Amino acid sequence: MKNPDGTEYKVGGGIQQFNPNDPQLKLFDLWDQEVIQASGSPIYYYEVFIPTGEIDTDYFESRGKLFSNFPVTFYGLYDPLASQNVMSGFGIDSMNEIVIECNTRSLLSAIGHMPKIGSRIHTPHLGENWEIVQRNYSEFKLWGSMRTLLICKQFQESVTTSDGRVTEKSPSVQKPFDF
């Protein structure tokens, strides 16, 4: 292939849309953080600690897992969902799931690392507790992976989570306006 002037055509790099070192990208990332904080909800993250010596080799779970007593707060967008399982009318129950979308950079600055799978999340809107089962990166309008998706299932108390003692304390939620 040749250019219109007769010189040989050379490809000018890769297929990347935007330069990751562009200052405009950093500005857009700060704007995204502010939008999520203004329109989202505070999310309380309780990190899970699993002693490696107590992991069951068959089921890959631990009876000795502990959760942090002090939550880390970050902001995220999610839709609180009612149970959408049609089969629950027949006595078959399934776990509810939500997806929490948050800015990756603000999440890393709040927690210090990516959230651990199995950690507990408290959403103050309905006072529900969730467990992180998967985390994905999301691309926001071709600007790159600026957002993290936390896929969570409803948290269930059991023998491995201390029979109801894990969720007996809720974080102190400050109301924006007291009239």
Side-chain angles (χ1 to χ4, degrees):
M1 285 175 69
K2 297 197 182 251
N3 291 328
D5 63 355
T7 59
E8 188 166 332
Y9 176 76
K10 293 183 181 176
V11 180
I15 59 171
Q16 184 174 0
Q17 279 301 96
F18 298 97
N19 179 6
N21 298 323
D22 189 6
Q24 291 178 352
L25 182 63
K26 292 179 182 172
L27 180 65
F28 187 76
D29 190 32
L30 287 172
W31 174 81
D32 186 53
Q33 288 178 22
E34 289 180 11
V35 165
I36 289 177
Q37 188 168 356
S39 63
S41 172
I43 309 289
Y44 300 102
Y45 170 79
Y46 294 88
E47 189 161 326
V48 66
F49 302 106
I50 301 176
T52 56
E54 294 187 18
I55 296 176
D56 186 353
T57 56
D58 294 330
Y59 298 106
F60 295 109
E61 61 182 31
S62 172
R63 290 192 180 277
K65 66 180 161 183
L66 302 169
F67 293 93
S68 172
N69 289 330
F70 304 102
V72 176
T73 306
F74 65 90
Y75 286 84
L77 301 169
Y78 71 96
D79 289 327
L81 298 175
S83 178
Q84 296 179 347
N85 187 6
V86 179
M87 299 300 287
S88 64
F90 299 106
I92 301 170
D93 194 20
S94 73
M95 299 299 290
N96 293 333
E97 288 188 352
I98 63 168
V99 177
I100 299 172
E101 189 172 358
C102 48
N103 185 282
T104 303
R105 186 168 293 166
S106 68
L107 182 67
L108 289 173
S109 67
I111 298 175
H113 54 79
M114 288 303 287
K116 289 183 181 178
I117 305 288
S119 294
R120 184 170 67 92
I121 285 182
H122 179 79
T123 54
H125 177 66
L126 296 175
E128 295 174 319
N129 292 293
W130 303 90
E131 180 180 353
I132 300 173
V133 293
Q134 186 176 344
R135 59 176 189 246
N136 297 340
Y137 290 110
S138 171
E139 191 169 280
F140 184 69
K141 300 187 190 281
L142 295 175
W143 282 88
S145 26
M146 299 175 72
R147 292 194 175 180
T148 300
L149 300 176
L150 299 175
I151 300 168
C152 305
K153 69 176 185 176
Q154 211 162 18
F155 184 80
Q156 292 254 322
E157 295 280 1
S158 66
V159 175
T160 60
T161 57
S162 303
D163 284 332
R165 290 183 295 168
V166 173
T167 58
E168 68 185 7
K169 289 187 212 172
S170 292
S172 59
V173 178
Q174 297 176 353
K175 296 181 182 176
F177 301 106
D178 283 332
F179 293 108

